[in-house]
Coordinates of all heavy atoms in Angstrom, one line a residue:
M648 N 11.8 5.0 -18.1 CA 12.6 4.9 -16.9 C 14.0 5.2 -17.1 O 14.6 4.7 -18.1 CB 12.4 3.6 -16.2 CG 13.1 3.5 -14.9 SD 12.7 2.0 -14.0 CE 11.2 2.5 -13.2
K649 N 14.7 6.0 -16.3 CA 16.1 6.4 -16.5 C 17.0 5.2 -16.1 O 16.8 4.5 -15.2 CB 16.4 7.5 -15.5 CG 17.2 8.6 -16.1 CD 17.4 9.7 -15.1 CE 18.1 10.9 -15.7 NZ 18.3 12.0 -14.8
K650 N 18.0 5.0 -17.0 CA 19.0 4.0 -16.7 C 19.9 4.3 -15.6 O 20.3 5.5 -15.5 CB 19.8 3.7 -18.0 CG 20.6 2.5 -18.0 CD 21.3 2.2 -19.3 CE 22.2 1.0 -19.1 NZ 22.8 0.6 -20.4
V651 N 20.3 3.4 -14.8 CA 21.2 3.6 -13.6 C 22.6 3.6 -14.2 O 23.0 2.7 -14.8 CB 21.0 2.6 -12.5 CG1 21.9 2.8 -11.4 CG2 19.5 2.5 -12.1
S652 N 23.4 4.6 -13.8 CA 24.7 4.7 -14.3 C 25.6 3.7 -13.6 O 25.2 3.2 -12.5 CB 25.3 6.1 -14.0 OG 25.5 6.3 -12.6
D653 N 26.7 3.4 -14.2 CA 27.7 2.4 -13.6 C 28.1 2.9 -12.2 O 28.2 2.0 -11.3 CB 28.9 2.2 -14.5 CG 28.5 1.4 -15.7 OD1 27.4 0.7 -15.7 OD2 29.2 1.5 -16.7
S654 N 28.4 4.2 -12.1 CA 28.9 4.6 -10.7 C 27.8 4.5 -9.7 O 28.1 4.2 -8.5 CB 29.4 6.1 -10.9 OG 28.4 7.0 -11.3
A655 N 26.6 4.8 -10.1 CA 25.4 4.7 -9.1 C 25.2 3.3 -8.8 O 24.9 2.9 -7.6 CB 24.2 5.3 -9.7
R656 N 25.4 2.4 -9.8 CA 25.2 0.9 -9.5 C 26.2 0.4 -8.5 O 25.9 -0.3 -7.6 CB 25.3 0.2 -10.8 CG 24.9 -1.3 -10.7 CD 24.9 -2.0 -12.1 NE 24.3 -1.3 -13.2 CZ 23.0 -1.3 -13.4 NH1 22.2 -2.0 -12.7 NH2 22.5 -0.6 -14.5
K657 N 27.5 0.9 -8.7 CA 28.6 0.5 -7.7 C 28.3 1.0 -6.3 O 28.5 0.3 -5.3 CB 29.9 1.0 -8.2 CG 30.4 0.3 -9.4 CD 31.7 0.9 -9.9 CE 32.2 0.3 -11.2 NZ 33.4 0.9 -11.8
E658 N 27.8 2.3 -6.3 CA 27.5 2.9 -4.9 C 26.4 2.1 -4.3 O 26.4 1.8 -3.1 CB 27.1 4.3 -5.1 CG 26.9 5.1 -3.8 CD 26.6 6.5 -4.0 OE1 26.6 7.0 -5.1 OE2 26.2 7.2 -3.0
L659 N 25.3 1.8 -5.0 CA 24.2 1.0 -4.5 C 24.7 -0.4 -4.0 O 24.2 -0.9 -2.9 CB 23.1 0.9 -5.5 CG 22.3 2.1 -5.8 CD1 21.4 1.9 -7.0 CD2 21.5 2.6 -4.6
K660 N 25.6 -1.0 -4.8 CA 26.1 -2.3 -4.4 C 26.9 -2.2 -3.1 O 26.7 -3.1 -2.2 CB 26.9 -2.9 -5.5 CG 27.3 -4.3 -5.3 CD 28.0 -4.9 -6.5 CE 28.4 -6.3 -6.4 NZ 29.0 -6.9 -7.5
A661 N 27.7 -1.2 -2.9 CA 28.5 -1.0 -1.7 C 27.6 -0.7 -0.5 O 27.8 -1.2 0.6 CB 29.4 0.2 -1.9
L662 N 26.5 0.1 -0.7 CA 25.6 0.3 0.4 C 24.8 -0.9 0.8 O 24.6 -1.1 2.0 CB 24.6 1.4 0.0 CG 25.1 2.9 -0.1 CD1 24.1 3.8 -0.8 CD2 25.6 3.4 1.2
T663 N 24.5 -1.7 -0.2 CA 23.8 -3.0 0.1 C 24.6 -3.9 0.9 O 24.1 -4.6 1.8 CB 23.3 -3.6 -1.2 OG1 22.5 -2.7 -1.9 CG2 22.5 -4.9 -0.9
A664 N 25.9 -3.9 0.7 CA 26.8 -4.8 1.4 C 27.2 -4.3 2.8 O 27.6 -5.1 3.6 CB 28.1 -4.9 0.6
K665 N 26.9 -3.1 3.1 CA 27.2 -2.5 4.4 C 26.3 -3.0 5.5 O 25.1 -3.1 5.3 CB 27.1 -0.9 4.3 CG 27.6 -0.2 5.5 CD 27.5 1.3 5.3 CE 28.8 1.9 4.9 NZ 28.9 3.3 5.0
A666 N 26.9 -3.4 6.6 CA 26.1 -3.9 7.7 C 25.3 -2.7 8.4 O 25.8 -1.6 8.4 CB 27.0 -4.5 8.8
D667 N 24.2 -3.0 8.9 CA 23.4 -2.0 9.6 C 24.1 -1.3 10.7 O 24.0 -0.1 10.9 CB 22.1 -2.5 10.1 CG 21.1 -2.9 9.1 OD1 21.3 -2.5 7.9 OD2 20.1 -3.6 9.4
T668 N 25.0 -2.0 11.4 CA 25.7 -1.4 12.5 C 26.8 -0.4 12.0 O 27.3 0.4 12.8 CB 26.4 -2.5 13.3 OG1 27.2 -3.3 12.4 CG2 25.4 -3.4 14.0
D669 N 27.1 -0.5 10.7 CA 28.1 0.4 10.2 C 27.5 1.7 9.6 O 28.2 2.6 9.1 CB 28.9 -0.2 9.0 CG 29.8 -1.4 9.6 OD1 30.1 -1.4 10.8 OD2 30.0 -2.3 8.8
I670 N 26.2 1.8 9.7 CA 25.5 3.0 9.1 C 25.4 4.1 10.2 O 25.0 3.8 11.3 CB 24.1 2.6 8.6 CG1 24.2 1.6 7.4 CG2 23.4 3.9 8.1 CD1 22.9 1.0 7.0
D671 N 25.8 5.3 9.8 CA 25.7 6.4 10.7 C 24.3 7.1 10.7 O 23.9 7.7 9.7 CB 26.8 7.5 10.3 CG 26.7 8.7 11.2 OD1 26.1 8.7 12.3 OD2 27.3 9.7 10.8
F672 N 23.6 6.9 11.8 CA 22.2 7.4 11.9 C 22.2 8.7 12.7 O 21.1 9.2 13.1 CB 21.3 6.4 12.5 CG 21.0 5.2 11.6 CD1 21.6 4.0 11.9 CD2 20.2 5.3 10.5 CE1 21.4 2.9 11.2 CE2 19.9 4.2 9.7 CZ 20.5 3.0 10.1
S673 N 23.3 9.3 13.0 CA 23.4 10.4 13.9 C 22.6 11.7 13.4 O 22.2 12.5 14.2 CB 24.8 10.8 14.2 OG 25.5 11.3 13.0
D674 N 22.4 11.8 12.1 CA 21.7 12.9 11.6 C 20.2 12.7 11.5 O 19.4 13.5 11.0 CB 22.2 13.4 10.3 CG 22.1 12.3 9.2 OD1 22.0 11.1 9.6 OD2 22.1 12.6 8.0
I675 N 19.7 11.5 11.9 CA 18.3 11.1 11.9 C 17.8 11.1 13.3 O 18.3 10.3 14.1 CB 18.1 9.8 11.2 CG1 18.7 9.8 9.8 CG2 16.6 9.4 11.1 CD1 18.8 8.4 9.1
P676 N 16.8 11.9 13.6 CA 16.3 11.9 15.0 C 15.6 10.6 15.3 O 15.0 10.0 14.5 CB 15.3 13.0 15.1 CG 14.9 13.3 13.6 CD 16.1 12.9 12.8
A677 N 15.7 10.1 16.6 CA 15.0 8.9 17.0 C 13.5 9.2 17.1 O 13.1 10.3 17.3 CB 15.6 8.5 18.4
T678 N 12.8 8.1 16.8 CA 11.3 8.2 16.9 C 10.8 7.4 18.1 O 11.4 6.4 18.5 CB 10.6 7.7 15.6 OG1 11.0 6.4 15.4 CG2 11.1 8.5 14.4
A679 N 9.6 7.8 18.6 CA 9.0 7.1 19.7 C 7.7 6.5 19.1 O 7.2 6.9 18.1 CB 8.7 8.1 20.8
A680 N 7.1 5.6 19.9 CA 5.9 5.0 19.5 C 4.8 6.0 19.2 O 3.9 5.9 18.3 CB 5.4 4.0 20.5
S681 N 4.8 7.1 20.0 CA 3.8 8.1 19.9 C 3.9 8.9 18.5 O 2.9 9.4 18.1 CB 3.9 9.2 21.0 OG 5.1 9.8 21.0
D682 N 5.0 8.8 17.9 CA 5.2 9.5 16.6 C 4.4 8.7 15.5 O 4.2 9.3 14.4 CB 6.7 9.5 16.2 CG 7.5 10.4 17.1 OD1 6.9 11.4 17.6 OD2 8.7 10.1 17.3
W683 N 4.1 7.5 15.7 CA 3.5 6.6 14.7 C 2.0 6.4 14.9 O 1.4 5.6 14.2 CB 4.2 5.3 14.7 CG 5.7 5.5 14.3 CD1 6.7 5.6 15.2 CD2 6.2 5.7 13.0 NE1 7.9 5.8 14.5 CE2 7.6 5.9 13.2 CE3 5.6 5.8 11.8 CZ2 8.4 6.1 12.1 CZ3 6.5 6.0 10.7 CH2 7.8 6.2 10.8
I684 N 1.4 7.0 15.9 CA 0.0 6.8 16.3 C -1.0 7.0 15.1 O -1.9 6.3 14.8 CB -0.5 7.6 17.5 CG1 0.2 7.1 18.8 CG2 -2.0 7.6 17.7 CD1 0.0 7.9 20.0
D685 N -0.8 8.1 14.4 CA -1.6 8.5 13.2 C -1.1 8.0 11.9 O -1.6 8.4 10.9 CB -1.9 10.0 13.2 CG -2.6 10.5 14.4 OD1 -3.5 9.7 14.9 OD2 -2.4 11.6 14.9
A686 N 0.0 7.2 11.9 CA 0.6 6.7 10.7 C -0.4 5.8 10.0 O -1.2 5.1 10.6 CB 1.9 6.0 11.0
V687 N -0.4 5.9 8.6 CA -1.2 5.0 7.8 C -0.4 4.2 6.9 O 0.4 4.8 6.1 CB -2.2 5.9 7.0 CG1 -3.1 5.0 6.1 CG2 -3.1 6.7 7.9
R688 N -0.4 2.9 7.0 CA 0.4 2.0 6.1 C -0.2 2.1 4.7 O -1.4 2.0 4.5 CB 0.3 0.6 6.6 CG 1.2 -0.3 5.8 CD 1.1 -1.7 6.4 NE 1.6 -1.8 7.7 CZ 2.8 -2.3 8.1 NH1 3.5 -2.9 7.2 NH2 3.2 -2.4 9.3
G689 N 0.7 2.2 3.7 CA 0.3 2.2 2.3 C -0.5 3.4 1.8 O -1.2 3.3 0.8
K690 N -0.4 4.5 2.5 CA -1.2 5.7 2.1 C -0.9 6.1 0.7 O -1.8 6.5 0.0 CB -0.9 6.8 3.1 CG -1.6 8.1 2.8 CD -1.3 9.2 3.8 CE -2.1 10.4 3.5 NZ -1.8 11.5 4.5
H691 N 0.3 6.0 0.2 CA 0.7 6.4 -1.1 C 0.9 5.2 -2.1 O 1.3 5.4 -3.2 CB 2.0 7.2 -1.0 CG 1.8 8.5 -0.2 ND1 1.1 9.5 -0.6 CD2 2.3 8.8 1.0 CE1 1.1 10.5 0.3 NE2 1.8 10.0 1.3
Y692 N 0.5 4.1 -1.6 CA 0.6 2.9 -2.4 C -0.6 2.9 -3.4 O -1.8 3.0 -3.0 CB 0.5 1.6 -1.6 CG 0.4 0.3 -2.3 CD1 1.4 -0.1 -3.1 CD2 -0.8 -0.5 -2.2 CE1 1.3 -1.3 -3.8 CE2 -0.9 -1.6 -2.8 CZ 0.1 -2.1 -3.7 OH 0.0 -3.3 -4.3
R693 N -0.3 2.7 -4.7 CA -1.4 2.7 -5.7 C -1.2 1.4 -6.5 O -0.5 1.3 -7.5 CB -1.2 3.9 -6.6 CG -1.4 5.2 -6.0 CD -2.9 5.5 -5.7 NE -3.1 6.8 -5.1 CZ -3.5 7.1 -3.9 NH1 -3.7 6.1 -3.1 NH2 -3.6 8.3 -3.4
P694 N -2.0 0.4 -6.1 CA -1.9 -0.9 -6.8 C -2.5 -0.7 -8.2 O -3.3 0.1 -8.5 CB -2.7 -1.8 -6.0 CG -3.6 -1.0 -5.2 CD -2.9 0.3 -5.0
L695 N -2.0 -1.6 -9.1 CA -2.6 -1.6 -10.4 C -4.0 -2.0 -10.4 O -4.4 -2.9 -9.6 CB -1.8 -2.5 -11.3 CG -0.3 -2.1 -11.6 CD1 0.4 -3.3 -12.4 CD2 -0.2 -0.8 -12.3
K696 N -4.8 -1.4 -11.2 CA -6.2 -1.7 -11.2 C -6.5 -2.7 -12.4 O -5.8 -2.6 -13.4 CB -7.1 -0.5 -11.4 CG -7.0 0.5 -10.3 CD -7.5 0.1 -9.0 CE -7.5 1.2 -8.0 NZ -8.0 0.8 -6.7
Q697 N -7.4 -3.5 -12.3 CA -7.8 -4.5 -13.4 C -9.3 -4.4 -13.6 O -10.1 -4.5 -12.7 CB -7.4 -5.9 -13.0 CG -7.6 -6.9 -14.1 CD -7.1 -8.2 -13.7 OE1 -6.4 -8.4 -12.7 NE2 -7.4 -9.2 -14.5
Q698 N -9.7 -4.1 -14.8 CA -11.1 -4.0 -15.1 C -11.7 -5.4 -15.3 O -11.0 -6.3 -15.9 CB -11.3 -3.2 -16.4 CG -12.7 -3.0 -16.8 CD -12.9 -2.1 -18.0 OE1 -12.0 -1.5 -18.4 NE2 -14.1 -2.0 -18.5
L699 N -12.8 -5.7 -14.7 CA -13.5 -6.9 -14.9 C -15.0 -6.8 -14.7 O -15.5 -5.7 -14.4 CB -13.0 -7.9 -13.8 CG -13.4 -7.6 -12.4 CD1 -14.0 -8.9 -11.8 CD2 -12.2 -7.2 -11.6
T700 N -15.7 -7.8 -15.0 CA -17.1 -7.8 -14.8 C -17.4 -8.7 -13.7 O -16.9 -9.8 -13.5 CB -17.8 -8.4 -16.1 OG1 -17.5 -7.6 -17.2 CG2 -19.3 -8.4 -15.9
V701 N -18.3 -8.2 -12.8 CA -18.6 -9.0 -11.6 C -20.1 -8.9 -11.3 O -20.7 -7.8 -11.6 CB -17.8 -8.5 -10.4 CG1 -18.1 -7.0 -10.1 CG2 -18.0 -9.3 -9.1
R702 N -20.7 -9.9 -10.8 CA -22.2 -9.9 -10.5 C -22.3 -9.6 -9.0 O -21.8 -10.4 -8.2 CB -22.9 -11.1 -11.0 CG -22.8 -11.3 -12.5 CD -23.7 -12.5 -12.8 NE -23.7 -12.7 -14.3 CZ -24.5 -12.1 -15.1 NH1 -25.4 -11.2 -14.7 NH2 -24.5 -12.3 -16.4
I703 N -23.1 -8.6 -8.7 CA -23.3 -8.2 -7.3 C -24.9 -8.1 -7.1 O -25.6 -7.7 -8.0 CB -22.7 -6.8 -7.0 CG1 -21.2 -6.9 -7.2 CG2 -23.0 -6.4 -5.6 CD1 -20.5 -5.6 -7.2
D704 N -25.3 -8.6 -6.0 CA -26.7 -8.5 -5.7 C -27.2 -7.1 -5.8 O -26.5 -6.1 -5.4 CB -27.0 -9.0 -4.2 CG -26.8 -10.5 -4.0 OD1 -26.7 -11.2 -5.1 OD2 -26.6 -10.9 -2.9
S705 N -28.4 -6.9 -6.4 CA -28.9 -5.5 -6.7 C -29.0 -4.7 -5.5 O -28.8 -3.5 -5.5 CB -30.2 -5.6 -7.5 OG -31.2 -6.3 -6.7
D706 N -29.4 -5.3 -4.3 CA -29.6 -4.5 -3.1 C -28.2 -4.0 -2.6 O -28.1 -2.9 -2.1 CB -30.4 -5.2 -2.0 CG -29.7 -6.5 -1.6 OD1 -29.0 -7.1 -2.5 OD2 -30.0 -7.0 -0.5
V707 N -27.2 -4.8 -2.8 CA -25.9 -4.4 -2.3 C -25.4 -3.3 -3.2 O -24.8 -2.3 -2.7 CB -24.9 -5.6 -2.4 CG1 -23.5 -5.2 -2.1 CG2 -25.3 -6.7 -1.4
L708 N -25.6 -3.4 -4.5 CA -25.2 -2.3 -5.4 C -25.9 -1.0 -5.1 O -25.3 0.0 -5.1 CB -25.4 -2.8 -6.9 CG -25.0 -1.8 -8.0 CD1 -23.5 -1.5 -7.9 CD2 -25.3 -2.3 -9.3
E709 N -27.2 -1.1 -4.9 CA -28.0 0.1 -4.6 C -27.5 0.7 -3.3 O -27.3 2.0 -3.2 CB -29.5 -0.2 -4.4 CG -30.1 -0.5 -5.8 CD -29.9 0.6 -6.8 OE1 -30.1 1.8 -6.4 OE2 -29.6 0.3 -7.9
W710 N -27.1 -0.1 -2.3 CA -26.6 0.4 -1.0 C -25.2 1.2 -1.3 O -25.0 2.3 -0.8 CB -26.4 -0.7 0.0 CG -25.6 -0.3 1.2 CD1 -26.1 0.5 2.2 CD2 -24.2 -0.6 1.5 NE1 -25.1 0.6 3.1 CE2 -24.0 0.0 2.7 CE3 -23.3 -1.3 0.8 CZ2 -22.7 -0.1 3.3 CZ3 -22.0 -1.5 1.4 CH2 -21.8 -0.8 2.7
L711 N -24.4 0.5 -2.1 CA -23.1 1.2 -2.4 C -23.3 2.5 -3.2 O -22.7 3.5 -2.9 CB -22.2 0.3 -3.3 CG -21.6 -0.9 -2.6 CD1 -21.0 -1.9 -3.6 CD2 -20.4 -0.4 -1.7
K712 N -24.2 2.5 -4.1 CA -24.5 3.7 -4.9 C -25.2 4.8 -4.0 O -25.0 6.0 -4.3 CB -25.3 3.4 -6.1 CG -24.6 2.7 -7.2 CD -25.4 2.5 -8.4 CE -24.6 1.9 -9.6 NZ -25.4 1.7 -10.8
S713 N -26.0 4.4 -3.0 CA -26.7 5.4 -2.2 C -25.8 6.3 -1.4 O -26.2 7.3 -1.0 CB -27.6 4.6 -1.3 OG -26.9 4.0 -0.2
E714 N -24.5 5.9 -1.2 CA -23.5 6.7 -0.5 C -22.9 7.8 -1.4 O -22.1 8.6 -0.9 CB -22.4 5.8 0.0 CG -22.9 4.6 0.9 CD -23.2 5.1 2.3 OE1 -22.5 5.9 2.9 OE2 -24.3 4.7 2.8
G715 N -23.3 7.8 -2.6 CA -22.8 8.9 -3.5 C -21.8 8.4 -4.5 O -21.6 7.2 -4.6
K716 N -21.1 9.3 -5.1 CA -20.1 9.0 -6.1 C -19.0 8.1 -5.5 O -18.7 8.2 -4.3 CB -19.4 10.2 -6.7 CG -20.4 11.0 -7.6 CD -19.7 12.2 -8.2 CE -18.7 11.8 -9.3 NZ -18.2 12.8 -10.1
G717 N -18.3 7.3 -6.3 CA -17.2 6.5 -5.8 C -17.6 5.1 -5.3 O -16.8 4.5 -4.5
Y718 N -18.7 4.6 -5.7 CA -19.2 3.3 -5.2 C -18.2 2.2 -5.6 O -18.0 1.2 -4.8 CB -20.6 2.9 -5.7 CG -20.7 2.5 -7.1 CD1 -20.7 1.2 -7.5 CD2 -20.9 3.5 -8.1 CE1 -20.8 0.8 -8.8 CE2 -21.0 3.1 -9.5 CZ -20.9 1.8 -9.8 OH -21.0 1.4 -11.1
Q719 N -17.5 2.3 -6.7 CA -16.6 1.2 -7.1 C -15.3 1.3 -6.2 O -14.8 0.2 -5.7 CB -16.1 1.4 -8.5 CG -17.3 1.0 -9.5 CD -16.9 1.4 -10.9 OE1 -16.2 2.3 -11.2 NE2 -17.4 0.5 -11.9
S720 N -14.9 2.5 -5.8 CA -13.8 2.6 -4.9 C -14.2 2.1 -3.5 O -13.4 1.4 -2.8 CB -13.3 4.0 -4.8 OG -12.8 4.5 -6.0
R721 N -15.4 2.4 -3.1 CA -15.9 1.9 -1.8 C -15.9 0.4 -1.8 O -15.6 -0.3 -0.8 CB -17.3 2.5 -1.4 CG -17.2 3.8 -0.8 CD -18.5 4.2 -0.2 NE -19.6 4.3 -1.1 CZ -19.8 5.3 -2.0 NH1 -18.9 6.3 -2.0 NH2 -20.8 5.3 -2.9
L722 N -16.4 -0.2 -2.9 CA -16.4 -1.7 -3.0 C -15.0 -2.2 -2.9 O -14.8 -3.2 -2.1 CB -17.1 -2.1 -4.3 CG -17.1 -3.6 -4.6 CD1 -17.8 -4.4 -3.5 CD2 -17.7 -3.8 -6.0
N723 N -14.1 -1.6 -3.5 CA -12.7 -2.1 -3.5 C -12.2 -1.9 -2.0 O -11.5 -2.8 -1.5 CB -11.8 -1.2 -4.4 CG -10.4 -1.8 -4.6 OD1 -10.3 -2.8 -5.2 ND2 -9.5 -1.2 -4.0
D724 N -12.5 -0.8 -1.4 CA -12.0 -0.6 0.0 C -12.6 -1.7 1.0 O -11.9 -2.2 1.8 CB -12.5 0.7 0.5 CG -11.7 1.9 -0.1 OD1 -10.7 1.6 -0.8 OD2 -12.2 3.0 0.0
I725 N -13.9 -2.1 0.8 CA -14.5 -3.1 1.6 C -13.8 -4.5 1.3 O -13.5 -5.2 2.3 CB -16.0 -3.2 1.3 CG1 -16.7 -1.9 1.8 CG2 -16.6 -4.4 1.9 CD1 -18.1 -1.7 1.2
L726 N -13.6 -4.8 0.1 CA -12.9 -6.0 -0.2 C -11.5 -6.1 0.3 O -11.0 -7.1 0.8 CB -13.0 -6.3 -1.8 CG -14.3 -6.5 -2.3 CD1 -14.3 -6.6 -3.9 CD2 -14.9 -7.9 -1.8
R727 N -10.8 -4.9 0.2 CA -9.4 -4.9 0.7 C -9.4 -5.1 2.2 O -8.5 -5.8 2.7 CB -8.7 -3.5 0.3 CG -7.3 -3.4 0.9 CD -6.6 -2.3 0.3 NE -6.3 -2.5 -1.1 CZ -5.4 -3.3 -1.6 NH1 -4.6 -4.0 -0.8 NH2 -5.2 -3.4 -2.9
A728 N -10.3 -4.4 2.9 CA -10.4 -4.6 4.4 C -10.6 -6.1 4.7 O -10.0 -6.6 5.7 CB -11.5 -3.7 5.0
A729 N -11.5 -6.7 4.0 CA -11.8 -8.1 4.3 C -10.5 -9.0 4.0 O -10.2 -9.9 4.7 CB -12.9 -8.6 3.4
M730 N -9.8 -8.7 2.9 CA -8.6 -9.4 2.5 C -7.5 -9.2 3.6 O -6.9 -10.2 4.1 CB -8.1 -8.9 1.2 CG -6.8 -9.6 0.8 SD -6.1 -8.8 -0.7 CE -5.4 -7.3 -0.1
V731 N -7.3 -8.0 4.1 CA -6.3 -7.7 5.1 C -6.7 -8.4 6.4 O -5.8 -9.0 7.1 CB -6.1 -6.2 5.3 CG1 -5.3 -5.9 6.5 CG2 -5.5 -5.6 4.0
S732 N -8.0 -8.3 6.8 CA -8.4 -9.0 8.0 C -8.2 -10.5 8.0 O -7.7 -11.1 8.9 CB -9.9 -8.7 8.2 OG -10.4 -9.4 9.3
R733 N -8.5 -11.1 6.9 CA -8.3 -12.5 6.7 C -6.8 -12.9 6.8 O -6.3 -13.8 7.4 CB -8.9 -13.1 5.5 CG -8.7 -14.6 5.3 CD -9.5 -15.2 4.3 NE -10.9 -15.2 4.7 CZ -11.9 -15.6 4.0 NH1 -11.7 -16.2 2.8 NH2 -13.1 -15.6 4.4
H734 N -6.0 -12.0 6.1 CA -4.5 -12.2 6.1 C -4.0 -12.1 7.5 O -3.1 -13.0 7.9 CB -3.9 -11.2 5.2 CG -2.4 -11.3 5.1 ND1 -1.7 -12.3 4.5 CD2 -1.4 -10.5 5.7 CE1 -0.4 -12.1 4.7 NE2 -0.2 -11.0 5.4
R735 N -4.4 -11.2 8.3 CA -3.9 -11.0 9.7 C -4.3 -12.2 10.5 O -3.5 -12.6 11.4 CB -4.5 -9.7 10.3 CG -3.8 -8.5 9.7 CD -4.3 -7.3 10.4 NE -3.6 -6.1 9.9 CZ -4.1 -4.9 9.8 NH1 -5.3 -4.7 10.3 NH2 -3.4 -3.9 9.3
K736 N -5.5 -12.8 10.3 CA -5.9 -13.9 11.1 C -5.1 -15.2 10.8 O -4.9 -16.0 11.6 CB -7.4 -14.3 10.8 CG -8.4 -13.3 11.4 CD -9.8 -13.7 11.0 CE -10.8 -12.7 11.5 NZ -12.1 -13.0 11.1
N737 N -4.6 -15.2 9.5 CA -3.7 -16.4 9.1 C -2.3 -16.3 9.5 O -1.5 -17.2 9.2 CB -3.9 -16.6 7.6 CG -5.2 -17.0 7.1 OD1 -6.0 -17.6 7.9 ND2 -5.6 -16.7 5.9
L738 N -1.9 -15.1 10.1 CA -0.5 -15.0 10.5 C -0.2 -15.6 11.7 O -0.6 -16.1 12.5 CB -0.1 -13.5 10.6 CG -0.1 -12.7 9.3 CD1 0.3 -11.3 9.6 CD2 1.0 -13.3 8.3

């Protein structure tokens, strides 16, 4: 990872201290709710993976594998959806 220069560090510190009302957004077009309809949160987020051993009922595993390649990714997607759903309920 590249080291941040002293001048860049000072610039970042000054920007951090600046109030939102002092920022000039005139060169950024305003967005409407319709601009975000197809937006996907976390599309480019790549969490770290951790290898582990897990026991899954054989019929569940066969069902996952019957969908073709990528059954481990599908399992992760199912678990993530359950995690997000539970998190939203707890908010």
Side-chain angles (χ1 to χ4, degrees):
M648 184 173 274
K649 220 175 186 182
K650 189 174 179 181
V651 179
S652 69
D653 288 339
S654 62
R656 191 178 311 278
K657 288 177 186 175
E658 185 178 354
L659 288 170
K660 190 173 182 179
L662 288 171
T663 302
K665 190 178 256 193
D667 288 349
T668 54
D669 295 335
I670 299 173
D671 177 15
F672 293 105
S673 62
D674 61 338
I675 304 172
T678 60
S681 60
D682 295 329
W683 299 98
I684 290 174
D685 295 327
V687 178
R688 183 182 297 254
K690 181 177 181 179
H691 300 288
Y692 171 66
R693 297 284 184 247
L695 294 175
K696 302 289 186 183
Q697 184 173 351
Q698 185 174 348
L699 69 130
T700 301
V701 62
R702 295 188 179 275
I703 300 172
D704 295 340
S705 60
D706 58 335
V707 173
L708 182 59
E709 288 306 313
W710 171 73
L711 284 166
K712 287 183 172 183
S713 72
E714 301 286 315
K716 289 181 76 170
Y718 74 93
Q719 291 173 325
S720 294
R721 275 193 300 284
L722 176 59
N723 191 72
D724 292 344
I725 291 166
L726 291 171
R727 178 169 293 285
M730 178 187 73
V731 168
S732 175
R733 180 166 293 179
H734 177 72
R735 286 184 179 150
K736 287 179 186 176
N737 293 334
L738 290 180

